[in-house]
Amino acid sequence: MGRPPAAIVVALVGSILLAAGCGGGGAGGGDSSSSSASASSSDTGQTLETLWRGASEEIGVTAATSDFGVGRNRVSFLVIDKHGRPIVRPTARIWIAHGLKERPFAEATARYEPIGVSGGYTADTGGIYVTHLRTPAPGTYWYLAQPVGGRSIAALGNVVVKQRSAAPAVGDHAIASHTPTLASTHANLQQLTTSRHPDRALYRSSVASALAAHAPFVLTFATPAFCQSRICGPVVDVLSAAQRKEPAQSPVRFIHVEIYKGNDPANGENQWVKQWRLPTEPFTFVVDRRGVIRTKLEGAFSTAELERAVAAVR
């Protein structure tokens, strides 16, 4: 379960540079706190490509999300300069357009979110930029990210929007999956997780039992030992950290589910991944007392991003 959109963006941006003979830098590989796209009020006389070429360094984003449907989408990405160094600044300005030759129809702000936890699965996980974009119809939307501060760098990327996302969307009802628990596996943690430091609190409840109890919950699908993108471990660490910070009487349950049958990639995806129609991993859903998905987090996320989502359903 890889992330092809990143490679697609790199190839597209690379082809644009080659076609134009450009000498710039080569292409690099529902939380309400991040700004949603709003109507563009400045730079309206310029196309997205013109804005991109106006920067000192023109590169492509490294996409970290790929499952988009019509409506409001969480979009996360990295900005890597032509020397392979991540660009880390608190915010990035975002423009979105229907095409490279089109004027932006909306703007947004992306915030840099550190991922992983201190002492967690990896020490050098870093962070990602996160924004929320409104995409009114199916199609391909192009966006330009310009980290604020320092030398002028503009990173180009796109999102391919379908009528509905593959995985359940915000506003959908959670699927009543009988996910495995300590009780169902006779307390055998090795059957439940590939984490090097498993947290028993993540395997006390199934999705079905949380829904039956009308309890809000966080559900994370991830495989720390076999993750291709090196962010599954940090995702489970963040889930565990958020669980430990919950008040003693909090009704919120925290659930982790692995990706593969018998925790072996050779066996293919397990039944719960198929039930939730996940096109990639990791994936996290925050569900309210009525069983409605309120936040959908594809890929990596920060502790703060998850805590904000949990507070909204507590």
Side-chain angles (χ1 to χ4, degrees), residues 11 40 79 85 89 121 147 180 209-210 248 251 281:
S40 180
V79 177
R85 298 173 300 203
R89 297 175 190 169
Y121 202 81
S209 63
E281 48 83 23

Side-chain angles (χ1 to χ4, degrees), residues 30-31 169-172 285-288 290 292-296 309 312-313:
D31 171 20
V170 171
D172 289 348
F285 303 88
V286 181
V287 181
D288 69 14
R290 296 185 299 155
V292 177
I293 296 169
R294 294 304 178 190
T295 299
K296 171 184 175 179
V313 300

